[in-house]
Amino acid sequence: MLNKLESLLATTHIELSQEQKQLLVDYVDMLNKWNKAYNLTSVRDPEQMLVRHIMDSIVVNPFLQGTRFIDVGTGPGLPGIPLAIVRPDSHFTLLDSLGKRVRFLRQVQHELGLVNIEPVQSRVEEFIPQPPFDGVISRAFASLQDMLSWCNHLPKPNEGRFYALKGVLPEDELAQLPTGIVLDKAVPLQVAELGEQRHLVILKSN
């Protein structure tokens, strides 16, 4: 698995320490093990998890601004846990409403010794951030409109960003952004061995 991860990383500009690589592999091992009982992801093959979950998450790292982030609807910790591993000086709140997922996240936090994550069980609209976040991240979440509606209380006023990890660029959603929100940038992402489109949509207040 470590060799597979290193071959995937070799196709990118991402440079990680051996410790970071090992943590990513250990996380996939835990995800694979818990998945059999908890059904945390539809991806069953650990090597595919490296492509579809690890690489798919960490490619957005260069585009994040700030040090305090919230991953809304994190599920089994995606993209929050891979990003926390590659970005040790940032802090990630991992928010999910389902208890079994949050139990898994707490076990990952404990076993991998990740001090820069905080798993929280809550519905996003009921979660009160103290203080607000530099960035609100979502992957495989709802439409941009729903994300903005449910999460508008989470970022720092006028400074915070919304980061939506998308497949095909959602042109129709971008054409209907609410008043006060503008597109900062839309970045096409290259994920090794993933034959599908990926985009990072970054939104901000205007």
Side-chain angles (χ1 to χ4, degrees):
M1 286 286 283
L2 203 51
N3 289 342
K4 176 68 175 178
L5 177 60
E6 287 180 337
S7 73
L8 291 168
L9 287 169
T11 68
T12 73
H13 297 296
I14 302 169
E15 293 188 11
L16 301 178
S17 68
Q18 282 305 120
E19 182 185 9
Q20 286 171 312
K21 293 174 192 172
Q22 189 62 55
L23 283 171
L24 290 169
V25 169
D26 289 347
Y27 168 61
V28 168
D29 286 342
M30 288 188 69
L31 185 54
N32 184 46
K33 184 172 75 176
W34 279 61
N35 201 37
K36 294 175 174 64
Y38 278 66
N39 199 27
L40 297 166
T41 169
S42 59
V43 181
R44 299 290 182 222
D45 175 43
E47 289 203 353
Q48 276 301 301
M49 288 180 184
L50 286 176
V51 175
R52 305 187 76 85
H53 291 335
I54 301 301
M55 298 303 297
D56 200 33
S57 294
I58 65 177
V59 288
V60 305
N61 181 50
F63 307 101
L64 301 182
Q65 297 179 36
T67 57
R68 292 187 68 257
F69 300 93
I70 182 166
D71 178 8
V72 293
T74 186
L78 298 164
I81 286 177
L83 285 171
I85 290 170
V86 304
R87 200 181 179 90
D89 294 332
S90 294
H91 187 275
F92 291 83
T93 297
L94 309 178
L95 192 74
D96 204 276
S97 60
L98 210 59
K100 69 176 184 180
R101 294 180 188 146
V102 174
R103 282 194 293 279
F104 170 70
L105 297 173
R106 288 185 179 132
Q107 192 62 27
V108 170
Q109 181 182 30
H110 172 69
E111 286 193 29
L112 302 189
L114 299 178
V115 296
N116 62 331
I117 65 170
E118 181 187 1
V120 176
Q121 184 179 350
S122 173
R123 292 170 58 85
V124 63
E125 57 270 37
E126 295 167 0
F127 179 72
I128 307 300
Q130 292 294 343
F133 294 95
D134 297 317
V136 178
I137 304 172
S138 76
R139 177 179 185 261
F141 197 61
S143 67
L144 294 176
Q145 282 68 24
D146 284 345
M147 180 189 183
L148 292 165
S149 169
W150 296 336
C151 304
N152 63 357
H153 62 297
L154 298 176
K156 285 181 181 173
N158 305 319
E159 291 178 43
R161 298 281 196 279
F162 293 94
Y163 300 92
L165 284 69
K166 294 283 191 176
V168 177
L169 191 65
E171 302 275 8
D172 54 334
E173 295 175 21
L174 289 169
Q176 301 172 44
L177 291 177
T179 305
I181 297 289
V182 294
L183 176 66
D184 185 15
K185 61 182 74 165
V187 186
L189 301 169
Q190 299 298 321
V191 182
E193 296 188 19
L194 185 69
E196 301 166 22
Q197 286 193 49
R198 287 290 187 268
H199 290 85
L200 175 64
V201 175
I202 306 175
L203 305 173
K204 65 177 183 178
S205 301
N206 64 349

